Amino acid sequence: MSEDGSSRRTFLKGAATGGVGVTLAGGAYTQRARLFGGGDGTNSLSGPDHITRLVPDGQVTDRATGGVWADSGSWRDAVPGDGAHVLIPEGRAVTLASELDATYRTVRVDGRLRVDPTAASRLLVDTLVVAGTGTLELGTPDEPVQRGAGAVVEFTDDGAIDEDWDPERVSRGLLALPGSTVHVAGSERTSWARTGTAPRAGDRSLSLAEAPTAWAEGDRLVVAGLDPDENQDEAVTVAGVSGSTVELDRSLSHDHVPPREDFDAYVAAMDRTVTLRSESAATKRRGHVMFMTTDVRVQHAAFDSLGRTDKSRPVTNPDNGTPPDPDTPNPKARYACHFHRTGIDATEDPRVVEGCVVDGSPGWGYVNHHSNVAFRDNVSYDVFGAGFVAEIGNEIGAFEGNFALRSSGTGGGPDRRQFKTDREGAIDDFGHGGYGFWLQSPGVAVDDNVAAGHRHHGFVWWTRPKPDREMDPEKFEGITIDFANFPVENVTGQDRLLASDAVTDGKVPSTQVRFRSFAGNTVFASGGGADISRHRFGDAHDEVESYSVVDEFTAFNLGAHYSQWDSRRVPNEGGAQGGQNGISIRYSANVVVRNPTLVDGVGGYRGVGINRNHAPQNLRVENPDIEGWFTGIRAPPRGESPITGGRLDNDIDVHVIGGGTSNRWSSPHEVAIENVDFGDGGRASVFMGADLQDDLYSMLSPNDSVTLEGTPLYFDSQRPDVVPFPTEADLGDVGGDELGDLSEADPAEFVGKSNRELMNAYGLAVEGEPLPDDAGARSDVLGGFAAGSNGSRDAPAPLDAVASTVGSAHEFGTLAQGERLYVYDDAEFLTVPGKYAGLSYIRPEKEDQDIERPSGYRLDLAEPADVFVAYDAESTPEWLTGWTDTGDSIGTDDGTRRVFKKSVGAGTTWLGGCPDTYKMYSVFVR
């Protein structure tokens, strides 16, 4: 023990309890971890043990005896100077009451370091370590740092981080070790506010819904932009405040007017009286904040230009997988405000971060990793990757009343970088796409938050466990993994799960845990609303009371999502990973979407209110308010998926695709639409399409049903005269047991037979039965028929009907320059020869390019006609052999198209797929 009472034992006190250790297996991996900071537990090289080695007793140059920092009598020798390694020993307290000019290499707090809340103070330091016995007080709840005073901790830049001293690159920042106490409290103020009157261009004041607390002249604000495709955030300064009216230093340049009067515009306050900041703007040389202790309360503080993990590229110290660029360190866990393995004991009070702002970060803002943290009323602004994060799947606590404003991202979808064996960069490194909230854990309550200005979704739930230790790749690669990570004591309302064999060593996989809460959240001016994936997939059941609930979710003004190659990703791309989806649900089951309000409030792009990929099961939509989209709801393909009550007013309100996903081992596909108020702004209440290429059993199964107010609906492909398999190649790779218990027939016998013939010979037909005699067309049902109806079809002459064999939607248009090529995409016809102008054409989904069957698009003609196909000029598929190359071309935003022609008689004409191009062709008729 030294003279001042400090010792290594004192320093390590509490560190031994700081998180679960991890064992790193494999020589190559261990070497990589040694170089780049692998692992996250106390036994890893970047955990508390490594941090203690950065500030040993033998390195200390200046020891405090207690008192005011700037007084020489407070130090054993003199006030520390530039480059000092400072120690405040256990039992000693130092008060910072002035703006220091010296820059320190390290400050280690074994005792107590506080600021005078009534004085302006500043500490310039590379690395500030609060040891297990230490206390850091940058204001307290009872004595917050006052306006007019202000406390600043600046993490200095004396050059590149010294990797000889710190090979893990964990230094340069605030590091609070297990057992320590950290209290940070600035003066209370309104963090963000709703406007009472929507601001318009030219306004020089804001009318807020309520009078703000402690806003004053000189404060910096950001008025959130509402345009989803252009950053129209406006940084302004307060010129004065009177009640709920805030005068500004300049006039606004943009309108900030939502599409409905019951929606709000929002304003974020950017100043706090306590600031932790980086001196350097260079990503590799910035500071970061890592809390490893349970005793943390941070209120009304600013985290300015912090964070060093660069989410624009994969981390170089993954727990699994092969990282790219191993010679360029990019260690994880160096974030702006980061709780690192502080424990998930729900009986303890949570750590608290309240009323703060993260302003600028190259990788994430607020991060909960294996911790219990309540983040309330905070702002994140201008971050890369995600503003708020629950990192690995077992986190608890809350994100409540926060405002995530503006994030940039890689352009990759939510699933990008998912672990794949031997694929460089596929390392389970998520949350890089530009999101408001990245939520790996279902155990956090996510309520009353707002997300705006994000490259992609405002909220992403991706609840598959993210192991933070090395795993056997065979157990790891796939949609879900058999990895129990969520303690059973933190699971509520799921008796069925807790009694199942999913329980292992007192834990269950987080992917099977229902949302603790997801209510009252809002997204706008982003590339998507909410994405839910890897959630309860494979555990579908009918115990609705234990389903996850998405309650009172609002999204408006959602725009395009652009990939890393700057190409626009339409809503259904990548299995509903594209842009302009209000809610997308993928690889999930047992979800109730209750009282959603989804409004596509801007022109130009047309998206989907509630979208899905091929896999969701048991999705219930209750009392929706969905308007302005091309498609309101794309109904899930499996299980019970009722749509009940509410209002739908879209071009297509509900799009139902039948037969597309195997239901041999899942519950039947049942879509019951009841008590819905359909608006008059679109074409159809229901669009019906059958998928004839994905799964033979599901296509022919009799168990599915679609009803509209109790009336059975049927697909066009169920017509008795439709031939589901015109050629043998249309059967694809059908295995011997493809029909299961439906029939012992050889599927090869189905070729060329109509539904009527299949029913007579085998008792089989598309969707289990041919269209009944009493069913007919109905004006609000497209692509199908309704029982007891006898209306007319909607196709323009000479067409009678059109159907894609993947069940996709389509429109009819008049061929002309400026018309759209596709349903969802913004590509247009640029040049149209006069001989074709004015002809009726079919506008398909761009994703129809993925049709694999040789017979992929069906045209039913009421009379003989000339059919034209404008196909990618760079290729010609085999199915166009026998068609006439007219020598004409049509210019489009999606490439030049050569025009082929074929004269056909009345009846059915089949068109093929796009085996050699990513560009769906255009069809027009005369």
Side-chain angles (χ1 to χ4, degrees):
M1 182 174 290
S2 60
E3 290 179 275
D4 53 28
S6 64
S7 68
R8 179 169 175 79
R9 178 176 299 175
T10 293
F11 184 40
L12 292 176
K13 182 179 179 182
T17 62
V20 179
V22 276
T23 301
L24 306 181
Y29 178 83
T30 302
Q31 178 64 20
R32 183 169 74 241
R34 190 171 290 119
L35 288 173
F36 302 123
D40 289 328
T42 55
N43 294 333
S44 74
L45 294 175
S46 59
D49 282 349
H50 172 73
I51 294 169
T52 64
R53 290 193 288 270
L54 298 178
V55 284
D57 284 353
Q59 177 180 274
V60 172
T61 60
D62 295 84
R63 285 175 165 80
T65 57
V68 176
W69 188 298
D71 293 345
S72 58
S74 301
W75 302 92
R76 179 185 295 180
D77 297 316
V79 176
D82 286 339
H85 292 274
V86 177
L87 171 65
I88 300 175
E90 185 178 8
R92 310 298 168 90
V94 173
T95 298
L96 185 63
S98 60
E99 295 179 310
L100 303 178
D101 294 323
T103 61
Y104 304 119
R105 183 70 183 277
T106 65
V107 173
R108 174 180 133 196
V109 182
D110 289 1
R112 181 184 180 205
L113 173 61
R114 64 181 294 272
V115 299
D116 182 343
T118 65
S121 60
R122 181 182 65 206
L123 177 65
L124 307 176
V125 60
D126 181 292
T127 304
L128 173 59
V129 176
V130 187
T133 58
T135 296
L136 175 66
E137 293 179 354
L138 305 178
T140 66
D142 293 332
E143 294 184 292
V145 175
Q146 298 300 302
R147 178 184 284 275
V152 173
V153 176
E154 181 172 290
F155 303 111
T156 57
D157 178 16
D158 295 325
I161 293 173
D162 182 354
E163 294 188 24
D164 291 332
W165 169 59
D166 178 19
E168 306 309 313
R169 300 176 61 85
V170 72
S171 59
R172 193 163 295 169
L174 168 59
L175 309 172
L177 296 181
S180 65
T181 295
V182 178
H183 291 163
V184 180
S187 61
E188 183 178 356
R189 68 181 60 199
T190 298
S191 292
W192 58 278
R194 294 173 169 84
T195 61
T197 302
R200 293 186 177 274
D203 288 353
R204 198 159 179 165
S205 65
L206 301 173
S207 177
L208 304 183
E210 297 179 356
T213 299
W215 287 12
E217 182 179 356
D219 285 355
R220 297 175 302 134
L221 308 176
V222 177
V223 184
L226 268 72
D227 191 306
D229 300 313
E230 178 185 348
N231 183 351
Q232 293 186 353
D233 298 341
E234 299 198 61
V236 294
T237 301
V238 174
V241 180
S242 177
S244 60
T245 299
V246 180
E247 303 294 334
L248 306 178
D249 66 325
R250 65 170 181 84
S251 298
L252 295 175
S253 301
H254 302 287
D255 287 340
H256 300 264
V257 181
R260 289 192 353 188
E261 291 186 358
D262 55 338
F263 295 162
D264 298 308
Y266 297 85
V267 184
M270 303 304 293
D271 292 314
R272 304 294 187 272
T273 57
V274 179
T275 301
L276 295 93
R277 70 189 185 201
S278 297
E279 177 185 1
S280 177
T283 297
K284 293 182 181 180
R285 295 161 70 156
R286 294 158 62 112
H288 70 108
V289 173
M290 182 185 290
F291 300 113
M292 292 167 274
T293 179
T294 60
D295 191 1
V296 178
R297 189 173 190 90
V298 183
Q299 297 172 285
H300 304 288
F303 299 84
D304 187 4
S305 302
L306 294 176
R308 199 161 60 241
T309 299
D310 182 358
K311 297 302 289 188
S312 71
R313 61 191 185 94
V315 298
T316 51
N317 61 333
D319 297 293
N320 295 275
T322 304
D325 301 324
D327 295 327
T328 307
N330 184 34
K332 60 180 180 286
R334 314 295 185 255
Y335 310 125
C337 178
H338 174 204
F339 287 80
H340 182 72
R341 301 190 64 88
T342 67
I344 50 176
D345 186 346
T347 65
E348 296 179 346
D349 291 335
R351 285 92 267 177
V352 174
V353 178
E354 184 175 45
C356 296
V357 57
V358 167
D359 186 359
S361 171
W364 295 354
Y366 304 90
V367 181
N368 178 349
H369 173 200
H370 188 88
S371 295
N372 178 6
V373 190
F375 292 97
R376 301 189 184 104
D377 196 33
N378 302 289
V379 172
S380 70
Y381 180 63
D382 191 24
V383 303
F384 197 102
F388 295 80
V389 175
E391 188 172 359
I392 66 169
N394 61 3
E395 291 79 16
I396 58 175
F399 294 110
E400 295 176 342
N402 302 287
F403 186 16
L405 175 57
R406 192 64 54 188
S407 70
S408 48
T410 60
D415 301 349
R416 191 169 179 83
R417 299 185 191 169
Q418 180 181 355
F419 174 80
K420 301 289 182 183
T421 304
D422 298 327
R423 181 186 297 178
E424 187 176 281
I427 55 176
D428 257 28
D429 179 20
F430 300 116
H432 52 78
Y435 314 110
F437 294 76
W438 178 269
L439 305 163
Q440 203 92 24
S441 174
V444 291
V446 182
D447 299 327
D448 301 319
N449 303 283
V450 175
H454 301 288
R455 180 165 184 171
H456 207 181
H457 303 287
F459 296 82
V460 177
W461 290 94
W462 212 94
T463 60
R464 194 213 72 185
K466 181 182 180 295
D468 56 356
R469 64 174 183 263
E470 194 170 36
M471 286 188 63
D472 181 351
E474 292 185 0
K475 298 181 179 180
F476 191 20
E477 194 167 26
I479 302 302
T480 61
I481 60 175
D482 185 19
F483 175 54
N485 65 324
F486 199 94
V488 296
E489 58 267 25
N490 293 343
V491 177
T492 60
Q494 290 185 264
D495 294 342
R496 181 179 181 276
L497 174 64
L498 297 181
S500 73
D501 58 7
V503 179
T504 303
D505 296 329
K507 299 177 182 179
V508 294
S510 57
T511 192
Q512 300 301 344
V513 178
R514 72 174 181 174
F515 296 155
R516 178 181 172 191
S517 180
F518 186 45
N521 298 287
T522 298
V523 180
F524 63 91
S526 299
D531 183 70
I532 300 171
S533 186
R534 277 67 175 177
H535 185 61
R536 310 184 73 177
F537 186 62
D539 186 36
H541 56 76
D542 59 2
E543 296 178 5
V544 178
E545 66 278 3
S546 68
Y547 282 14
S548 291
V549 178
V550 178
D551 197 10
E552 302 281 353
F553 181 78
T554 299
F556 61 92
N557 286 24
L558 300 184
H561 176 239
Y562 290 91
S563 74
Q564 57 269 47
W565 300 285
D566 206 33
S567 61
R568 183 169 178 266
R569 304 184 75 214
V570 295
N572 299 333
E573 186 171 332
Q577 288 193 77
Q580 207 174 1
N581 287 312
I583 301 173
S584 52
I585 300 179
R586 306 176 298 112
Y587 298 115
S588 298
N590 308 340
V591 176
V592 178
V593 179
R594 182 174 293 147
N595 305 317
T597 301
L598 309 174
V599 177
D600 189 9
V602 294
Y605 305 130
R606 298 181 295 177
V608 180
I610 299 178
N611 207 351
R612 49 75 171 181
N613 72 343
H614 65 280
Q617 184 171 348
N618 294 352
L619 167 64
R620 308 174 74 89
V621 180
E622 300 175 359
N623 196 36
D625 182 359
I626 303 176
E627 68 171 342
W629 308 83
F630 180 80
T631 301
I633 301 172
R634 290 183 80 231
R638 296 190 294 172
E640 294 186 15
S641 299
I643 300 168
T644 308
R647 185 181 72 95
L648 300 175
D649 190 3
N650 310 276
D651 194 55
I652 294 170
D653 289 316
V654 181
H655 183 182
V656 181
I657 299 178
T661 301
S662 175
N663 62 15
R664 196 187 319 187
W665 297 281
S666 63
S667 55
H669 183 207
E670 299 179 12
V671 180
I673 306 168
E674 302 284 348
N675 301 317
V676 175
D677 177 14
F678 293 102
D680 56 5
R683 289 187 297 149
S685 300
V686 182
F687 186 101
M688 308 280 288
D691 188 337
L692 304 184
Q693 76 170 25
D694 190 42
D695 183 83
L696 191 62
Y697 183 98
S698 292
M699 183 196 315
L700 303 175
S701 171
N703 297 320
D704 298 349
S705 69
V706 182
T707 59
L708 177 58
E709 302 297 346
T711 298
L713 303 184
Y714 305 93
F715 297 90
D716 183 86
S717 295
Q718 291 180 255
R719 284 178 14 221
D721 60 326
V722 168
V723 177
F725 311 103
T727 72
E728 187 171 354
D730 292 319
L731 287 169
D733 298 325
V734 176
D737 64 344
E738 192 73 18
L739 292 172
D741 56 4
L742 293 179
S743 175
E744 294 184 353
D746 180 357
E749 300 173 11
F750 301 165
V751 175
K753 291 183 172 63
S754 67
N755 278 319
R756 181 185 294 109
E757 292 169 328
L758 290 173
M759 178 57 68
N760 289 337
Y762 312 104
L764 300 173
V766 171
E767 292 294 319
E769 63 172 326
L771 186 70
D773 292 338
D774 70 337
R778 178 169 153 171
S779 61
D780 61 344
V781 177
L782 300 182
F785 302 89
S789 295
N790 59 358
S792 59
R793 310 296 295 276
D794 71 315
L799 292 167
D800 182 52
V802 172
S804 152
T805 54
V806 293
S808 56
H810 62 264
E811 293 179 286
F812 299 112
T814 300
L815 191 61
Q817 181 182 0
E819 288 291 308
R820 290 178 179 270
L821 269 73
Y822 309 120
V823 164
Y824 294 111
D825 197 78
D826 56 351
E828 297 178 349
F829 291 103
L830 300 177
T831 59
V832 178
K835 67 182 78 173
Y836 304 122
L839 295 182
S840 295
Y841 83 101
I842 301 165
R843 184 180 297 134
E845 292 190 32
K846 186 176 183 178
E847 294 70 41
D848 285 342
Q849 68 194 17
D850 297 326
I851 291 174
E852 298 173 355
R853 284 178 32 139
S855 306
Y857 224 88
R858 194 185 84 238
L859 309 182
D860 292 332
L861 296 160
E863 58 188 89
D866 292 333
V867 177
F868 299 90
V869 171
Y871 198 90
D872 182 4
E874 300 297 320
S875 60
T876 304
E878 184 177 349
W879 64 267
L880 280 174
T881 302
W883 290 60
T884 300
D885 186 344
T886 65
D888 299 327
S889 65
I890 289 180
T892 80
D893 286 331
D894 197 27
T896 304
R897 312 298 176 88
R898 284 191 299 160
V899 179
F900 295 82
K901 171 187 172 183
K902 189 174 186 179
S903 297
V904 300
T908 297
T909 294
W910 283 97
L911 308 180
C914 300
D916 46 9
T917 180
Y918 293 106
K919 302 170 182 177
M920 179 58 188
Y921 51 80
S922 300
V923 180
F924 40 102
V925 294
R926 180 172 58 201

